[in-house]
Amino acid sequence: MEDFFLKIAILIVKLWIKTVSFNIIGLEKIKELKSNKVKIVFAIWHGQLALFYPMNNFIKGCGIVSKSKDGELATKVIKKFGFESVRGSSSKDGAVAIIEAEKYLTNGYDIIVTVDGPKGPRLKVKNGVVYIAKKFKCKIIPVVMNINRYKMFKSWDHFLFPLPFSRISLYIGDPIEFQSPNNKETVKNEAKQLEKIMLEMTERYANFYL
């Protein structure tokens, strides 16, 4: 019964988002990397995950989703919108998620990481995204999204959901590659560097979300 209502909800949402338009600024950066067979890890804020769906038109994406009950629901939903997923997080079953992520990367997928998830603190980049990128020699692409009409939920991440006839703008940041040793201290420092970049992008392109 739960799956039936989920299918109905997803059908309604799919009809709903057909009214939503989008614009991707910087898409040529991704096309260039893909033409050179560069592996990509997309870094996005947890609360902006629902605004990332237009990217399924341009990439094969796989999200890292927590093993919580909410994560189980998220896995079902993102699959309906064209993305694969692996289960795990920085705090639970992270090693399993990394092993599974490698399989997807080998098969031409890009990895999507909600950098301040699964439980926050909000807008604080955790180390996992940097660790994965360095381990598998990927470039990190930070993505910040803006939207003109939205519902913002009263959740820890200020989760955003597009309203009908809204317009989403996705801003693709410059590729980032960290080449220092993949140890705890350097990863921590580089996560802070990525956080600074993403906050600057958010301030410039999506100030309402700060």
Side-chain angles (χ1 to χ4, degrees):
M1 184 62 72
E2 182 179 337
D3 284 345
F4 172 76
F5 286 116
L6 178 62
K7 288 178 181 178
I8 296 298
I10 289 173
L11 177 61
I12 292 170
V13 170
K14 282 189 171 183
L15 292 172
W16 182 322
I17 64 175
K18 282 185 180 294
T19 70
V20 177
S21 60
F22 64 87
N23 183 33
I24 302 176
I25 299 93
L27 185 61
E28 69 280 355
K29 300 173 188 177
I30 296 170
K31 291 181 177 178
E32 182 178 354
L33 291 176
K34 299 308 291 182
S35 68
N36 292 318
K37 302 188 184 307
V38 175
K39 298 173 184 176
I40 299 173
V41 175
F42 288 96
I44 65 175
W45 299 126
H46 194 279
Q48 294 197 334
L49 178 60
L51 308 186
F52 190 77
Y53 79 88
M55 287 300 299
N56 69 5
N57 295 293
F58 306 99
I59 66 168
K60 288 168 60 179
C62 176
I64 296 182
V65 181
S66 75
K67 298 204 78 171
S68 65
K69 188 174 181 180
D70 288 345
E72 184 178 347
L73 176 61
T75 296
K76 293 178 180 178
V77 172
I78 66 175
K79 190 171 184 64
K80 294 295 184 181
F81 287 91
F83 296 108
E84 297 298 326
S85 65
V86 296
R87 304 297 301 277
S89 68
S90 58
S91 58
K92 187 176 182 180
D93 296 313
V96 174
I98 288 171
I99 292 169
E100 291 297 315
E102 182 178 19
K103 294 178 184 178
Y104 277 98
L105 284 166
T106 301
N107 286 295
Y109 282 79
D110 300 307
I111 302 300
I112 305 158
V113 181
T114 51
V115 293
D116 52 347
K119 296 181 179 179
R122 179 175 177 265
L123 305 183
K124 295 291 182 182
V125 174
K126 295 185 177 179
N127 297 347
V129 61
V130 175
Y131 180 83
I132 290 171
K134 293 173 73 168
K135 182 174 178 62
F136 301 120
K137 296 180 173 57
C138 305
K139 291 196 176 182
I140 298 174
I141 296 285
V143 183
V144 167
M145 287 148 275
N146 200 343
I147 185 168
N148 63 339
R149 300 182 70 244
Y150 57 88
K151 165 68 176 177
M152 181 183 287
F153 291 87
K154 294 180 179 179
S155 52
W156 70 264
D157 58 352
H158 295 187
F159 193 83
L160 296 171
F161 195 82
L163 293 177
F165 304 101
S166 57
R167 181 173 180 80
I168 300 172
S169 296
L170 297 90
Y171 295 90
I172 309 297
D174 292 330
I176 302 166
E177 185 175 16
F178 294 118
Q179 296 182 328
S180 58
N182 204 3
N183 60 55
K184 187 174 181 179
E185 193 58 34
T186 57
V187 167
K188 180 180 178 181
N189 291 334
E190 288 159 350
K192 287 189 177 298
Q193 292 176 42
L194 176 59
E195 180 180 301
K196 182 174 183 291
I197 291 169
M198 292 188 68
L199 286 172
E200 287 173 349
M201 287 179 63
T202 306
E203 183 174 7
R204 182 174 181 181
Y205 300 120
N207 188 262
F208 77 98
Y209 192 65
L210 291 174

